Amino acid sequence: MTIVDEEMLTRLSEGDPAALQLLVEAYFPILCRFAEKFLPDSSLAKDIVQETFIKVWNNRPSFENIMSLKGYLFTLTRNGCLNLIRSRERQENKHMMAAAGHPLETGSVLTEIVRSEYIARIYQVVQTLSPKMQEVFYLSYEEGMTVRAIAEQLQMDVKAVKNQKYKALVALRSKLKDSGEPLLVLLTFLMR
Amino acid sequence: MEPNGKNIDHAIYIATLLHRLHEGDPLAPDEQEAIAAWQAANGDDTFLQNSKAITDELRRLKNYDTAGAVKTIFGQLGLAVPSRVRRMDTILRWSAVAAMLLVIGAVSVLYFNRPPNNQATITHKPKPILPPGGNKAILTLADGSAIVLDSARNGHLALQGKTNIEKSDGQLMYKNAATTTETLYNTITTPRGGQYAVTLADGSKIWLNAASSLKYPTAFAGTTRQVELTGEAYFEIAADLSKPFKVRLNGMDVQVLGTRFNIKAYQDDTTIRTTLLDGAVKLSAATAGESLLKPGQQATLRPNQRRFTIREVNVNNAVAWRNGYFAFENEDIYGIMKDMSRWYNVDVEFSSHSIESKLGGTLSRYQNAEDVLQVLELTGSVHFSINKKKIIVMP
């Protein structure tokens, strides 16, 4: 479950600017990180990523599915970086940085895309949470911490941490009745 | 095979599956097969199981100016930025919360089900294969007794003559309690994968890189200040015109007034590199005579050369290690791997001796070796495999 899903794609192809905004918010940072693997200069990397979104908007009716839209984001970003490096090399004929100037190895690029997309999916989730919930998320995720430990870390009382989880869960139960077993199993753990 | 539309889309598909797997979402047999095939071809990516690395990355993403990017993009397209994305937003928010709770749930399941006090069963968080080094060293006192500094508590550590030794994280400090004429020597030694800093009794501060050792007096009683170094260290020497500071190396001396400089003098490097940030130092070696170094210059002493080679360099590269980076400029792969070997406490083997990669760039040295190697691999000019505690370098 992420924000950039099939519904978003439909809206994008219909020309809804809100869909573009969501797409940028979800993918701009991770694409910048990806571009910086090729280009040391982060402001150039940023420009290329912005250019990528402009091209996506201009080609918006052409995506078959969400996977090809995301693939297009990474492909355009990568090509943008490589083109810039090539044109610079011609101009300056100089060494740039480690990642620049050499043909990139296919396996590494694909591994990097897998990592980036994996992180992008988590990032979209985290971004929708309140700052407090984000902290709870990081601590749970990073440390496998107990509710008590999280409360101590955040200087909240245990009840408040449980409350945060509880409020989310009550709402979830009514919104996602049909979501099946994993969530029910989960509820029992979170209610301890 | 070039990365193309098809295999890039497939990479996206694999990421989706791996994320679902991580969320505890049951996968269909063909989806499991797709993951297995990917891992057979590309290896199981341990980065994706490293929760710390992932949360670090997530935190980094928040530093990008996404709102600014939205403005720029919409501006260039001549579109108005929508004020709210309400309808979609609320639906998505709930599905996002559900996804997040599944993640927390997965962690909780592992947490609650693990036997008490048995760290080894936390299988969702495998140890990196080659973690970075840290603040580790051994201090040898004047009487020959040794203190392991990584496990020693912070605070007062020992008394040497009339000098107190205080320890804080990654750092020792010598403080004279009274003037003394007695000269006692201490030695601090970092292992491979270690680093440490010392503030001497005169206020000079010295940072020791991995696999290095520094011998120094606990108080400076005489008319000179003299220390002995093997390996690499960065010096910030307190000015004292009445007591010149001298660094003795194997086969070379460095005479110092108040100044900042870096010396790289590993026995297995054969060369000695001295880089001056500011002030002035005079180098002297029986084999190469004397040479005066100016700020911004680096002197290299090679065993078969009868004089120092002096050139202007970017001094930041020479002291990058102290700031937590590897910084290379047109550096050959053999030199880079020596630094890696010392910092990650790992052996390095070259599958061929005709690898002629020269690389440049800056990388954090607080990431795992796997991650550093992966970036080096992106150049396409060198490849690596890791076998237990050994890195194999391939063309």
Side-chain angles (χ1 to χ4, degrees), chain B residues 42 137 140 156 222 245 255 267 270 318 379 387:
Chain B
N42 298 278
T140 309
H156 180 74
F245 195 99
Q255 284 228 39
Q267 307 268 2
T270 70
T379 62
N387 184 2

Side-chain angles (χ1 to χ4, degrees), chain A residues 39-145:
Chain A
L39 265 184
D41 184 335
S42 59
S43 83
L44 287 178
K46 186 188 84 179
D47 291 348
I48 284 173
V49 174
Q50 289 176 351
E51 201 53 47
T52 294
F53 285 109
I54 289 167
K55 286 179 187 154
V56 164
W57 180 257
N58 291 334
N59 289 312
R60 62 187 181 274
S62 63
F63 303 106
E64 276 173 32
N65 55 42
I66 196 70
M67 230 114 68
S68 70
L69 168 62
K70 290 175 178 178
Y72 191 68
L73 288 173
F74 286 101
T75 307
L76 274 186
T77 301
R78 171 179 168 275
N79 291 349
C81 292
L82 295 187
N83 290 341
L84 185 73
I85 289 163
R86 282 189 202 116
S87 70
R88 287 225 148 178
E89 274 203 329
R90 273 197 298 273
Q91 279 168 20
E92 303 180 4
N93 196 20
K94 252 188 168 179
H95 277 274
M96 286 186 71
M97 217 188 82
H102 298 273
L104 293 150
E105 209 241 330
T106 308
S108 304
V109 174
L110 294 178
T111 305
E112 203 52 53
I113 292 172
V114 171
R115 288 182 178 187
S116 300
E117 167 62 11
Y118 186 90
I119 287 167
R121 295 178 71 89
I122 304 175
Y123 178 71
Q124 291 169 53
V125 169
V126 177
Q127 279 311 95
T128 59
L129 305 173
S130 72
K132 261 293 193 256
M133 276 304 268
Q134 291 195 15
E135 265 324 290
V136 173
F137 168 84
Y138 280 125
L139 293 171
S140 314
Y141 192 84
E142 195 168 329
E143 310 288 0
M145 281 172 102

